[in-house]
Amino acid sequence: NFALINSFITKREVVILKIIENFVKDEFGEEFYSNFNSIINRIMPPDYDKSESQFVNEIESSFAFQPDPRANIKGDILFTLIDAIYFEEKTKILYRSQKGETLERIIHPYKIIYKNGGWYVIAFCELRKNTQFFAIHNIISIQLLEENTFLKPDKIDIKIGHGIDSLTGRGNYEVIIKILPASAEYVRHRFWHKSQKIIENEDNSIIISFQLNTLNNIKRWVLSFGENAIVISPTELIDLVKKDAMNILKSYN
């Protein structure tokens, strides 16, 4: 526990705090928002000057967030995992697999990741004897095994996907896609992946390339643009997109 010391806060800092507060509410849910809001209220107590109160209200009404769909998680499970990582203590979890099975696992939590609306923990599984991802929204219950400690490795031997890449993957694909003018303006002004490179064409189309671990996410990304995205390479991705497109047509026949 820490004591907050009163200090001077500039208007710009107030704006940043209120933006983050609204982002937390919309992106992470009410449980996180209530905790963050209590911090804000300590920094800016309710008896501050009326003009400042009006300024804050105007700031709050100036921003709106439209978050992507997110997985619902229990805050107690997340904070127990944070404790386990900090104190390097093993945890016993009841976990719901992708097949709907309820599994018991003892894990060594290493790192928590938030990606595309979902929370994940990288952990060593004592049963499987390997390091893997566990979706925190699939953890039914958790127990901190105090006094049962582990030694966190200096380097986690697992590849973490970034941006539109899948969370994990063991491949190495150079993906090249042509985006036609109808969608090029939308694509060129967004950060999709740390490896992205964009070449501008005279007709206002673009060539965008990525270095990715897997092809699953990029396949869905390409399909989301319909006829305005054309895969140039690799051949495996072209085949995946064609197969899904043909299956979509079959669904409407």
Side-chain angles (χ1 to χ4, degrees):
N1 296 320
F2 300 89
L4 291 174
I5 301 173
N6 291 332
S7 59
F8 180 77
I9 301 175
T10 67
K11 284 190 174 183
R12 175 172 288 188
E13 290 167 340
V14 171
V15 171
I16 292 171
L17 284 172
K18 300 311 291 185
I19 290 174
I20 295 173
E21 184 181 24
N22 283 285
F23 177 80
V24 167
K25 180 180 180 181
D26 290 336
E27 185 70 17
F28 298 151
E30 287 292 338
E31 185 170 0
F32 289 88
Y33 170 72
S34 62
N35 282 276
F36 191 82
N37 182 250
S38 69
I39 298 171
I40 297 296
N41 288 338
R42 288 176 209 162
I43 297 173
M44 298 191 304
D47 58 349
Y48 54 77
D49 184 81
K50 185 177 179 181
S51 63
E52 293 174 344
S53 176
Q54 183 179 356
F55 169 73
V56 170
N57 290 334
E58 288 177 0
I59 289 300
E60 286 187 308
S61 65
S62 301
F63 292 91
F65 293 95
Q66 298 295 325
D68 293 328
R70 65 173 186 268
N72 293 319
I73 66 168
K74 297 177 181 178
D76 289 345
I77 290 177
L78 178 66
F79 289 114
T80 300
L81 286 169
I82 292 172
D83 284 343
I85 292 171
Y86 182 77
F87 293 108
E88 296 186 349
E89 291 181 332
K90 300 178 183 180
T91 61
K92 182 191 290 185
I93 61 172
L94 278 181
Y95 189 76
R96 185 174 57 253
S97 71
Q98 291 182 343
K99 297 180 180 178
E101 302 170 320
T102 300
L103 310 171
E104 184 177 278
R105 295 284 187 267
I106 294 178
I107 62 172
H108 309 176
Y110 294 153
K111 189 180 185 71
I112 291 172
I113 295 174
Y114 181 77
K115 179 178 171 66
N116 298 335
W119 293 87
Y120 304 87
V121 59
I122 301 176
F124 177 82
C125 176
E126 289 194 353
L127 180 68
R128 299 294 185 188
K129 304 295 183 187
N130 64 2
T131 302
Q132 60 189 75
F133 286 91
F134 292 90
I136 296 178
H137 57 267
N138 284 336
I139 297 178
I140 301 166
S141 65
I142 187 168
Q143 177 187 353
L144 197 62
L145 302 178
E146 298 178 3
E147 309 302 328
N148 287 287
T149 60
F150 63 86
L151 185 62
K152 190 188 301 183
D154 294 331
K155 184 178 179 182
I156 301 173
D157 188 22
I158 192 167
K159 208 172 184 180
I160 303 172
H162 174 271
I164 59 172
D165 210 351
S166 294
L167 187 63
T168 181
R170 303 186 183 280
N172 186 15
Y173 301 93
E174 183 181 11
V175 174
I176 303 174
I177 301 163
K178 182 176 183 179
I179 306 294
L180 300 186
S183 296
E185 186 68 10
Y186 174 81
V187 172
R188 66 163 57 90
H189 293 300
R190 282 165 173 78
F191 181 73
W192 302 100
H193 192 267
K194 60 186 177 183
S195 69
Q196 77 180 42
K197 296 178 182 177
I198 293 178
I199 299 174
E200 297 284 346
N201 295 325
E202 291 184 0
D203 64 354
N204 207 33
S205 66
I206 61 173
I207 303 294
I208 188 167
S209 62
F210 309 103
Q211 205 73 32
L212 304 177
N213 299 334
T214 66
L215 298 176
N216 293 330
N217 280 15
I218 193 66
K219 177 194 71 173
R220 290 189 285 269
W221 187 81
V222 168
L223 288 168
S224 72
F225 292 103
E227 62 184 5
N228 291 310
I230 302 168
V231 179
I232 298 173
S233 68
T235 305
E236 300 99 308
L237 180 57
I238 295 173
D239 292 339
L240 287 171
V241 170
K242 287 170 66 175
K243 182 180 178 181
D244 271 24
M246 290 172 66
N247 287 335
I248 291 171
L249 284 174
K250 289 179 183 178
S251 298
Y252 287 93
N253 287 338

